Each structure stands twice: as structure tokens, then as C-alpha cells.
Amino acid sequence: MIRCRYAICVTVVILIIGCRAEHQTLGPDWIVDQADVLKSEDEHALTELLSDFYDSTSVALVGVTLYSTHIEPVELYAESLYNSWQLGDPETHNGILILLLTEDRQVHIIVGDGMAQHISHQTIDSVKTRMANWFGVGEYRTGFEIGFDLLMHRARVLPWRIAYTSISEARRDSLRSKNQIISTEGVITAFEGDLVVLTDSDENKIYLVVPANAPMLSVEDAIGFTGRIMDIQPMRIQVMNLDVNLMDYY
């Protein structure tokens, strides 16, 4: 499968911030307090919280503080940082990054493609507001704890492990397979509106909801994918990860 964005601490990828952030080098960690607003015991407690959450869910949630990104928009900076660190699981793309700019008084949250269907823009705006209320009075640990807790609650309600490797298997388990994750392959046989129609080697027909940033797809493309099962009859799957034109499918 193609790695789109994630996988914390597999290979340490370092982003050079350069002159826009006081010539500092920023590397991935659960908490990166570049603005130095957290006490050491607070940073340790938050790190333990995020590490334990990752161990139990595979969801990589990280917090970063900076004074400012200066001339670069916070949205672009956060997206660049997120991509450079490749947060989350490479199959399910379940990373989350919270960036606090203390000088600019901004909070920005990036969620991976696997999280986007379950953490809405409205939810993100609400979390940012709750955090900003505490950051504004200098309670940085409390602000992060509240933000982390709200996002963890959203992420924790769904499974993040691959449950099925075939469509037939998921259909046989139809009473339990909704919201589970499937990783399998097939051939694109049609397009219906925004949905990609896929048929596997057992002639199972399913409908894929493919991310907007996916590669260009065509009928007769052999693809492998990982996705979350949204509906059973007919089967509709939200794709998280996509591999196009599998050489060994046929």
C-alpha cells in the first residue's frame, strides 16, 4: 500500500524550519514545546498520555508549540509539518496534529484522511475554541489536556485495526462488520457519481468513497485499498489508503 501521510517514530524525519522559526530544527515527538510554555513535569505527563493512547489505539496524536511561523500561513505550516512527520498508521492514516502559535495566538489542528470522516470541521473548531480559552490565560497543560481528551474521545469510538482481508469475509460477518476496517483488492468496473464501483475476484461488487487527493483512476485499473466499511447492503467503503494497478492481481 502507498504511504500517504503517517507512521510516527518509524524513521525520524526532520523538518528544517529555517529562518522563519529562529533557525531551529524540529523533529517529531509526542510533545514538541518549541515555545517553552510547558513545565517539564507537564510535558512528561502529556507525553505519557499520548504514548499510552497510541499503544492502545494506533492513533498518533501530537502537540507542538511555536512562537510564530512568521510570514507563512499557519495552515500551510501545519500541513507541511504533518506530512514531514508522516503521522499515524500507514494503512489507516489516523494521525492528528495540534499546533499552538503563542506569539500569533493561533491554534490549528490537522487530521489524517482516515480521521476526516469522523472528526468534522465543526468539531475541530469547537476543540480549538475550548483550548484557546485556556491558552489565553496561560494554562497550557490544561488547554492541551482538554483538546487531547476531546479528540481522543472521537478517535477511540472506532476500531483502527484491519479486521477483514476479503469482501466475502466482511459480508459473512455482516452483523458486525459495519465501521470495521478492510484491506483487499479488485478491479474498477464503473463510476457512479462520486463512487468508484469495484469488483473482486469472487465477483463481489462494492462501492468506494475515494479521497479527493487520490491518484487518477480509470475503469479496469487493478487496485488494492484499505478502508472503513460504512454500509453493508450495498457495501460502501470509505477508502483510507490506495494502491493503483497492482502488478500481481491478475
Side-chain angles (χ1 to χ4, degrees):
M1 296 290 181
I2 295 172
R3 296 181 55 142
C4 292
R5 287 184 171 177
Y6 321 101
I8 191 164
C9 298
V10 176
T11 301
V12 177
V13 182
I14 295 181
L15 176 67
I16 304 300
I17 305 302
C19 61
R20 288 172 297 188
E22 291 80 34
H23 300 282
Q24 297 292 328
T25 298
L26 209 57
D29 208 339
W30 299 114
I31 296 291
V32 179
D33 184 24
Q34 198 74 14
D36 196 25
V37 295
L38 294 167
K39 298 177 182 178
S40 59
E41 58 266 30
D42 295 339
E43 188 172 339
H44 177 75
L46 292 173
T47 296
E48 288 290 311
L49 174 70
L50 299 177
S51 178
D52 289 346
F53 183 65
Y54 176 77
D55 289 341
S56 63
T57 65
S58 84
V59 176
L61 174 55
V62 305
V64 179
T65 74
L66 288 175
Y67 293 113
S68 173
T69 61
H70 300 293
I71 62 173
E72 185 171 7
V74 63
E75 297 84 0
L76 294 180
Y77 184 91
E79 186 75 23
S80 176
L81 193 63
Y82 186 99
N83 291 335
S84 295
W85 288 359
Q86 297 182 298
L87 296 180
D89 186 274
E91 294 291 343
T92 56
H93 303 311
N94 55 356
I96 308 175
L97 181 145
I98 299 178
L99 173 62
L100 165 64
L101 304 180
T102 57
E103 183 179 303
D104 299 335
R105 300 176 67 84
Q106 294 186 71
V107 182
H108 192 70
I109 299 175
I110 296 282
V111 301
D113 289 340
M115 309 291 297
Q117 296 300 313
H118 313 288
I119 302 179
S120 66
H121 291 298
Q122 184 178 8
T123 297
I124 290 174
D125 288 342
S126 176
V127 172
K128 290 195 296 187
T129 299
R130 295 278 299 276
M131 297 181 73
N133 289 338
W134 289 100
F135 292 154
V137 295
E139 295 289 341
Y140 294 103
R141 174 175 173 174
T142 301
F144 273 115
E145 285 178 333
I146 287 175
F148 291 154
D149 183 67
L150 292 169
L151 293 169
M152 285 176 176
H153 176 73
R154 290 278 179 167
R156 190 182 282 117
V157 298
L158 294 171
W160 290 102
R161 308 294 182 184
I162 293 172
Y164 306 106
T165 56
S166 76
I167 298 167
S168 296
E169 181 185 12
R171 281 188 165 151
R172 286 194 297 269
D173 197 27
S174 60
L175 294 179
R176 296 185 297 176
S177 58
K178 186 174 181 179
N179 289 325
Q180 296 289 335
I181 294 175
I182 183 171
S183 182
T184 189
E185 55 195 22
V187 174
I188 296 174
T189 50
F191 295 91
E192 294 185 11
D194 293 333
L195 299 176
V196 176
V197 183
L198 178 136
T199 303
D200 71 0
S201 57
D202 295 323
E203 298 301 318
N204 289 302
K205 179 181 176 182
I206 62 171
Y207 299 87
L208 304 180
V209 181
V210 177
N213 61 356
M216 184 69 69
L217 299 174
S218 303
V219 172
E220 297 187 359
D221 279 347
I223 67 171
F225 67 90
T226 300
R228 190 176 300 281
I229 299 170
M230 304 170 68
D231 297 297
I232 305 301
Q233 295 295 339
M235 186 170 286
R236 189 163 60 102
I237 297 172
Q238 177 71 48
V239 172
M240 300 172 177
N241 192 46
L242 188 65
D243 211 5
V244 183
N245 286 327
L246 299 178
M247 297 301 294
D248 59 351
Y249 180 73
Y250 298 101

